[in-house]
Amino acid sequence: MNQATSTNCIFTVTDLKQVKDKVLNWANRFSTFCFLDNHQYNLRSHSLECIAAVGVIDSIEAGAGNSLQRLQQFLNADRRWLFGHLGYDLKNEIENVETTQPDLVQFPDLFFFQPEIIVRFDNSRLTIESKSEDEEKIFDAIMTCDCDNKIKTYPANIRNRYEKKEYVAVVEKLREHILRGDCYEINFCQEFFAENSIIDPVAIYSNLSSLSPNPFSAFYKLEDKYLLCASPERFLKKLGRKILSQPIKGTARRMSAAVEDIKSRNELQQSTKDRSENVMIVDLVRNDLSKICTEGSVTVDELFEVYSFPQVHQMISTISGELSEHIRFSDIIRATFPMGSMTGAPKKKVLELIARYERTKRGIFSGALGYITPEGDFDFNVVIRSIMYNSAARYLSFQAGSAITFYSDPEKEWEECLLKVASIRKVLEATAE
C-alpha cells in the first residue's frame, strides 16, 4: 500500500477471538483476501498476531516460466504491502523440473496483490489502514458483521490417491533410489480428495482452527479458490538484512495422558531417525542461504528443538544469516525454493523423483503464503496441514508427506501421513448441523 496516501486508525478490542471471527466473516465478502493468524504462540521472531489484507488495488498472476522476473519488476514499481503465494511448481523455472500430473484445485503458480484495506491486531488493539475508505466505517462494518450466517456443509466423501499397499511399494522404490546413491532423503506426499464437495470454507476453517490452532495459520481466498491452512512451519522471514528459516522434520503424536505425552515428546527429541532427517534438511537450508548471505554469517540458532502443538510434537531447527548487499527478493526465492523440508537432498534429484512418483501436482501445497512489507521485509509460511478447495469445480484436496530415508519403515511413514491429516479429516467428516 502506498504509505504516502493511506491513512490508519487504531481501535480498542476486548475479545480477540470474537474480533478475529468478525474480521474473517467480513473479509469473506470480498473476492480476494488473505488472513494470517499466529494464534497467540510466543515463538521465535513472531512480530504479528494477526493481519488481514482485503480487496485488490493491483495484482500480479503468473505461471512458471519467467514469473519471478515479472514479480521482481512488480516489486520494483512501488513500495507497498503485498500479500500472496508462491506455488510449488515454480520449481519448473528454478530447477527446470516439469510435473505432468493433473492439478484440480488450480491455484496459479504465483499470485500477489496490493490490498485495498489492511487490518492488523494484537490482544488489545486493532489497526485499520485504508487508501480510500473511511476507517471508522470499516470498523463498524466489521463489528456488526454476522458470524452465524453459514451455508450448509456436507460431510466429505474423502478418497486417497494411493491404496496402502501402493504407497508402501513406492516407498520401497524410493529406498532403492537412496541405496543407489540417487538421493539421501526425499519428502514423498500423497493426496486425499473429495469430488462434488460443498463446504462453507469459513466454517471449516473456524472448526479447524479450534481443533488445531497453529502459528502459521491462514485463510486465503482467490476468487473461487480457497486455502484453509493450519501450518506450524515458517519458510522464510526477512527483517532488514537478517534472514531466517525454521524447517520442521520430525513428528510425534500428542497423548491425552500427561505421562504418555511427555514420553512421546522425549522419544522424538532422542530419535536417531528424526535427528538424521532434520540435520540433512538443516544442511540443505544452510547451503541455500549461503548462496545469498555474506560469507560466514549463516548459523544454526536452534538444532533439534521440539515444540508442542495441539495435535503433534514437532522437531524444528532455526537457521539464519545476513543477506549480501543488492540481493533481491527473486534472488532469495531462486536460492531457497522449494523449501528443503518439503523436498529433500540433493534438491534437484528429489524434485525429479517427486515428479515421477507422486500422482498429482502439489500446486499451492508445499508452497509458501505470506506478505512483503513496503520496506522489503517479508514472512512466509510453508503450506502444509491445509485444505485446498475449488468451489466452482467442487473439488476439495489436502495432502500429507513424510521424509523417506533408507531406514524408513513404509508402514510407519503411512501412519505419519495419516497423523498429519487427522485434524483435517475430523473436521471434514463431521456431519454439519
Side-chain angles (χ1 to χ4, degrees):
M1 183 172 290
N2 189 315
Q3 299 300 295
T5 57
S6 62
T7 59
N8 65 77
C9 288
I10 298 174
F11 304 88
T12 301
V13 297
T14 56
D15 188 330
L16 183 62
K17 183 181 184 307
Q18 181 188 59
V19 172
K20 286 182 179 181
D21 289 343
K22 286 183 175 293
V23 169
L24 182 58
N25 278 271
W26 164 79
N28 196 42
R29 301 172 180 177
F30 294 76
S31 62
T32 297
F33 76 93
C34 182
F35 178 89
L36 306 172
D37 193 357
N38 174 46
H39 286 294
Q40 296 182 285
Y41 280 88
N42 185 24
L43 298 182
R44 178 188 289 259
S45 298
H46 255 87
S47 54
L48 291 172
E49 168 55 25
C50 190
I51 186 167
V54 178
V56 178
I57 294 174
D58 195 8
S59 67
I60 178 172
E61 178 178 331
N66 66 341
S67 58
L68 290 178
Q69 179 183 345
R70 290 180 56 199
L71 175 59
Q72 189 62 56
Q73 293 169 348
F74 189 72
L75 286 168
N76 294 344
D78 197 3
R79 294 166 59 88
R80 52 193 168 170
W81 281 92
L82 295 175
F83 292 75
H85 77 273
L86 305 163
Y88 173 79
D89 282 295
L90 287 177
K91 66 176 176 54
N92 296 355
E93 70 177 82
I94 296 172
E95 296 287 358
N96 194 27
V97 177
E98 295 283 342
T99 304
T100 58
Q101 290 88 341
D103 173 13
L104 300 175
V105 180
Q106 298 182 333
F107 272 98
D109 291 332
L110 180 150
F111 182 84
F112 282 86
F113 70 100
Q114 177 187 1
E116 296 175 356
I117 302 164
I118 295 177
V119 181
R120 285 175 281 178
F121 44 105
D122 54 27
N123 291 332
S124 60
R125 298 188 308 168
L126 182 147
T127 303
I128 298 175
E129 184 176 340
S130 174
K131 190 171 182 180
S132 56
E133 294 190 52
D134 180 80
E135 290 82 3
E136 293 277 359
K137 290 182 179 179
I138 295 170
F139 181 72
D140 289 341
I142 291 171
M143 297 309 293
T144 57
C145 186
D146 183 3
C147 296
D148 298 321
N149 184 22
K150 306 297 184 187
I151 64 170
K152 187 171 178 60
T153 293
Y154 296 88
N157 180 23
I158 298 167
R159 293 186 284 161
N160 193 339
R161 292 291 173 188
Y162 288 92
E163 297 293 337
K164 183 177 180 179
K165 63 181 180 180
E166 295 174 318
Y167 174 88
V168 168
V170 172
V171 172
E172 291 293 1
K173 288 180 180 178
L174 294 174
R175 292 178 69 244
E176 291 174 9
H177 282 286
I178 294 168
L179 183 62
R180 290 200 297 264
D182 294 337
C183 62
Y184 310 107
E185 176 183 340
I186 179 170
N187 188 282
F188 174 56
C189 297
Q190 56 177 315
E191 184 196 25
F192 303 82
F193 68 101
E195 297 173 306
N196 197 29
S197 180
I198 300 174
I199 67 168
D200 177 353
V202 173
I204 293 293
Y205 174 78
S206 296
N207 291 341
L208 181 62
S209 292
S210 295
L211 184 63
S212 186
N214 280 299
F216 294 95
S217 296
F219 188 112
Y220 181 45
K221 179 182 179 182
L222 184 53
E223 302 291 346
D224 56 2
K225 291 169 281 291
Y226 295 83
L227 172 68
L228 319 178
C229 181
S231 175
E233 183 172 1
R234 168 181 276 133
F235 167 41
L236 280 179
K237 177 172 183 175
K238 175 183 175 291
L239 185 61
R241 287 180 60 185
K242 183 175 182 179
I243 191 161
L244 175 145
S245 182
Q246 295 180 293
I248 290 178
K249 197 56 64 182
T251 304
R253 187 187 301 272
R254 294 297 306 267
M255 301 296 181
S256 56
V259 172
E260 292 300 313
D261 194 50
I262 293 171
K263 180 182 178 184
S264 178
R265 187 186 190 281
N266 290 341
E267 286 176 350
L268 174 61
Q269 178 74 71
Q270 300 302 320
S271 168
T272 301
K273 172 184 178 294
D274 290 299
R275 284 177 172 242
S276 174
E277 293 175 4
N278 193 286
V279 78
M280 286 184 196
I281 300 307
V282 168
D283 286 343
L284 189 153
V285 173
R286 289 173 62 191
N287 182 65
D288 286 349
L289 291 182
S290 69
K291 300 172 187 175
I292 51 174
C293 289
T294 59
E295 186 175 353
S297 71
V298 177
T299 60
V300 179
D301 305 310
E302 291 180 306
L303 185 64
F304 309 145
E305 196 70 32
V306 174
Y307 289 83
S308 298
F309 301 99
Q311 305 298 321
V312 293
H313 302 291
Q314 303 273 203
M315 184 178 286
I316 303 176
S317 293
T318 301
I319 307 99
S320 66
E322 183 173 330
L323 289 168
S324 301
E325 291 187 14
H326 311 303
I327 292 293
R328 304 171 302 168
F329 181 80
S330 59
D331 299 325
I332 294 169
I333 300 305
R334 285 187 183 279
T336 61
F337 192 83
M339 62 286 298
S341 63
M342 294 304 296
T343 53
K347 189 181 287 187
K348 181 163 185 176
K349 183 60 181 180
V350 299
L351 291 176
E352 293 170 353
L353 292 173
I354 288 168
R356 177 176 172 183
Y357 287 106
E358 292 185 6
R359 290 186 172 174
T360 52
K361 284 187 178 181
R362 293 188 180 183
I364 197 172
F365 175 76
S366 78
L369 176 71
Y371 62 85
I372 306 169
T373 72
E375 295 75 30
D377 294 329
F378 58 77
D379 203 357
F380 285 88
N381 74 359
V382 177
V383 179
I384 53 176
R385 320 290 161 83
S386 299
I387 300 167
M388 286 72 70
Y389 180 57
N390 185 315
S391 61
R394 295 186 177 182
Y395 185 82
L396 184 148
S397 171
F398 55 98
Q399 299 195 37
S402 65
I404 308 302
T405 68
F406 178 73
Y407 299 102
S408 290
D409 178 338
E411 297 270 346
K412 290 183 179 179
E413 302 297 342
W414 172 267
E415 292 300 324
E416 181 175 326
C417 289
L418 296 185
L419 172 61
K420 288 175 176 176
V421 300
S423 297
I424 291 174
R425 294 198 74 133
K426 184 174 182 180
V427 169
L428 290 175
E429 292 175 343
T431 302
E433 295 182 359

